[in-house]
Amino acid sequence: MEQPVTEKSNILSQSIDIASSKEIISILYACDQEIFNGWDGGKGVNNETVVEKMHKVANKISQTIENPKGAVVISGCGTSGRIAFLTARTFNKYLKMKGKNPCFHYIIAGSDRALFTSIELAEDDPFIGAKTLKEVTEDKTEVVYIGVTCGFSAPFVAGQLDFCLSHTSKFTPVLMGFNYPHQARNIQIEKWYKTFLTVVKELEKAEKLDEAFILNPIVGPEPITGSSRMKSGTTTRILLEILSITAIHQFPKSSIPTCISMYESVCGSVYKHTESLAGLMQLAGDSLTAKGHVYYLGHSGLGLMAMIDASECPPTYGASFLDIRGFVTGGFLHLNNNDGDLSHLGWQYKISIQDFESDVIPTLTSQDFVVLLGEEVLKEISPSVFDAPCKKAYVSFYWEELPPAELKNVDLNLMVNISVPELESMVLAPARDVSKQVLEEVACKWVVNSLSTGAHILKGKVCQNMMIDVKVSNNKLFHRAVGIVQKYSHLTTEESQQCLLKSIYGTDCLTDDHTSASVVSHIGAAANKDLIVPVAILVASLHCTVEGAKDLIKKQPIIRKLLLVEG
């Protein structure tokens, strides 16, 4: 079976695990350039066909915005749902400012708790997806629905798309992702009679009638294989923001390439700071390796981007929820999220700067690392942050050259000077303020993604360019885990799955109950267990016992070294 683009290994990053900090930054930049240039002959966001589809979707959104009973619903799971939230938040505020109806809505699988912690099992239910969409749009007469699933795989989104296709008089469904349509997952969804590929084929028929759209620039494999929070997440932001800006201002199609160039300019502006980015990465990696912590503090959208980056590390790298945390000025007060203040649910939802000052500052040690994001956050934080014994860095985003800020006891300053000549064009002038906001936020995303990615590479969480310590927390990640085991062991899919099950159930002898159980049962058994995939890789590759694999990892956590030495 052909491997989807989003699950492939990127040839540019196959030695990222043994690269220096500066080399890691260069590799990440090369991979991110594929967003604009395309990959292996595929269509990047600059492609004429992609631009044409974007213009058609923007026209639909523009029409819907003018309808008092219209709605633009953006939905996704994990990273995609979090970016849906950010987009709806930004453009509802912008529409209000322009005296228009704030008609953007977001849906995230697992509800608002999933904005801050991983609840990825929620993405496996197409019925809940459809039910949620129906509830959100009950009183609407015209809906543009944008379902984001980077790999064309999430059943939650498939259920919503299927619902839209049954009600095309009201819904215009848009599927956004980064694979070719024929690469959509063709595994039957549990308790449903369809696969994602079935839904895509129905969408393709509707697209010929201009009743649906598939927006899928081919931006290439992730720098860390399968980590859609990175390049795919960034591309999702770019597409959603350009669609929204174009629709609200009713810009012509010719403005879309100009908007794309803005993001490409920002990408270059960020990555030209190689030395400083590498310094941030090294400080963060040193902290995690020493069992310290990384804390992001940011204002508004910058804080939210950082908080989202932190929330994605546990499912991606098998990291502790305490390893990297994000805090935002005002906490829930200014979030405008669907479910309101969730801080009563536990420490994972303590997200305000005040929570950081009361709960974290007293615990800081020299092994910890605090990253201050944006000039505004300096007005909100207590001076006690600067007196704490931890390492500190300050990252700001400026639109012209400015001298570095004078900050007390800060180990590193990163001043990202953003140069975007396209902003001054006559076409984009009406959207200058909102464009500056979203460009600063995407710049912040590139910074924190590189920091957390590099830190986990330096800690040994990556083998070649594969994240191997993934949490087996949903259907997609179960099958991804099987693929990872197969990649390093060269066993069959069935044999690789058996090794994964041995690791999940902690046994060298699987019973009939183990092998006949559903994927959902395997996921439940994997909950709260560490190192499932690394152990499975060693069991499969070295033919050792489960306990023997665990002992090897205690002595040497970097799996690539164990495979070379023991193999």
Side-chain angles (χ1 to χ4, degrees), residues 348-368:
Q348 298 97 322
Y349 307 96
K350 301 285 188 180
I351 60 169
S352 72
I353 299 294
Q354 289 73 26
D355 292 324
F356 174 79
E357 291 176 351
S358 62
D359 300 346
V360 178
I361 286 182
T363 72
L364 291 173
T365 73
S366 60
Q367 305 298 346
D368 297 319

Side-chain angles (χ1 to χ4, degrees), residues 3 14 95 100 155 231 301 407 436 469:
Q3 191 176 31
Q14 287 181 347
L95 284 170
K100 295 193 175 187
K231 182 159 60 173
L407 292 171
K436 287 184 72 172
D469 196 13

Side-chain angles (χ1 to χ4, degrees), residues 295-314:
Y295 300 103
Y296 300 127
L297 309 182
H299 177 74
S300 191
L302 301 184
L304 289 173
M305 282 312 314
M307 191 174 64
I308 286 171
D309 178 82
S311 74
E312 292 164 343
C313 291

Side-chain angles (χ1 to χ4, degrees), residues 413-471:
N413 288 330
L414 170 57
M415 317 293 284
V416 178
N417 300 301
I418 302 175
S419 175
V420 185
E422 294 84 3
L423 261 179
E424 307 305 325
S425 73
M426 292 294 290
V427 175
L428 299 182
R432 192 173 190 275
D433 289 343
V434 73
S435 296
K436 287 184 72 172
Q437 176 191 332
V438 296
L439 292 175
E440 286 175 12
E441 290 175 11
V442 79
C444 183
K445 183 181 189 299
W446 271 309
V447 170
V448 294
N449 280 176
S450 65
L451 183 156
S452 59
T453 299
H456 284 102
I457 291 170
L458 296 174
K459 190 181 179 182
K461 289 283 189 176
V462 172
C463 186
Q464 291 180 309
N465 58 3
M466 180 78 69
M467 48 182 188
I468 54 171
D469 196 13
V470 296
K471 295 290 186 185

Side-chain angles (χ1 to χ4, degrees), residues 270-507:
V270 171
Y271 279 110
K272 75 179 182 183
H273 298 278
T274 305
E275 294 279 351
S276 295
L277 287 171
L280 279 175
M281 181 188 297
Q282 191 66 54
L283 288 170
D286 290 345
S287 286
L288 294 187
T289 302
K291 301 189 184 303
H293 311 88
V294 177
Y295 300 103
Y296 300 127
L297 309 182
H299 177 74
S300 191
L302 301 184
L304 289 173
M305 282 312 314
M307 191 174 64
I308 286 171
D309 178 82
S311 74
E312 292 164 343
C313 291
T316 302
Y317 297 107
S320 162
F321 285 99
L322 292 168
D323 284 351
I324 302 182
R325 292 181 66 186
F327 298 87
V328 61
T329 54
F332 283 97
L333 189 62
H334 305 301
L335 252 59
N336 298 320
N337 57 302
N338 291 337
D339 298 340
D341 191 338
L342 303 178
S343 58
H344 62 283
L345 294 179
W347 63 264
Q348 298 97 322
Y349 307 96
K350 301 285 188 180
I351 60 169
S352 72
I353 299 294
Q354 289 73 26
D355 292 324
F356 174 79
E357 291 176 351
S358 62
D359 300 346
V360 178
I361 286 182
T363 72
L364 291 173
T365 73
S366 60
Q367 305 298 346
D368 297 319
F369 182 34
V370 174
V371 184
L372 307 169
L373 295 163
E375 189 174 10
E376 291 296 318
V377 77
L378 299 178
K379 303 171 185 176
E380 303 283 342
I381 60 174
S382 164
S384 59
V385 173
F386 298 108
D387 296 329
C390 59
K391 298 170 287 186
K392 309 166 196 76
Y394 171 57
V395 182
S396 273
F397 305 93
Y398 291 105
W399 293 85
E400 56 187 33
E401 292 287 340
L402 289 174
E406 293 296 326
L407 292 171
K408 179 183 177 185
N409 296 331
V410 173
D411 300 283
L412 176 70
N413 288 330
L414 170 57
M415 317 293 284
V416 178
N417 300 301
I418 302 175
S419 175
V420 185
E422 294 84 3
L423 261 179
E424 307 305 325
S425 73
M426 292 294 290
V427 175
L428 299 182
R432 192 173 190 275
D433 289 343
V434 73
S435 296
K436 287 184 72 172
Q437 176 191 332
V438 296
L439 292 175
E440 286 175 12
E441 290 175 11
V442 79
C444 183
K445 183 181 189 299
W446 271 309
V447 170
V448 294
N449 280 176
S450 65
L451 183 156
S452 59
T453 299
H456 284 102
I457 291 170
L458 296 174
K459 190 181 179 182
K461 289 283 189 176
V462 172
C463 186
Q464 291 180 309
N465 58 3
M466 180 78 69
M467 48 182 188
I468 54 171
D469 196 13
V470 296
K471 295 290 186 185
V472 184
S473 55
N474 65 22
N475 190 292
K476 177 184 74 174
L477 293 176
F478 177 85
H479 291 290
R480 180 179 295 168
V482 172
I484 293 171
V485 175
Q486 186 174 18
K487 173 182 171 67
Y488 289 104
S489 66
H490 306 294
L491 300 179
T492 65
T493 300
E494 183 179 355
E495 290 168 334
S496 300
Q497 181 165 313
Q498 287 180 349
C499 292
L500 181 67
L501 294 181
K502 288 179 180 180
S503 181
I504 288 173
Y505 292 105
T507 180

Side-chain angles (χ1 to χ4, degrees), residues 81-96:
R82 295 172 192 125
I83 292 172
F85 157 69
L86 288 172
T87 305
R89 178 180 181 272
T90 295
F91 289 100
N92 277 339
K93 184 177 179 181
Y94 190 57
L95 284 170
K96 282 183 182 179

Side-chain angles (χ1 to χ4, degrees), residues 181-182 199-209 212 214:
H182 70 272
V199 177
V200 168
K201 287 180 177 178
E202 292 170 1
L203 279 168
E204 288 181 307
K205 292 177 184 176
E207 187 171 35
K208 291 176 182 177
L209 303 173
I214 300 174

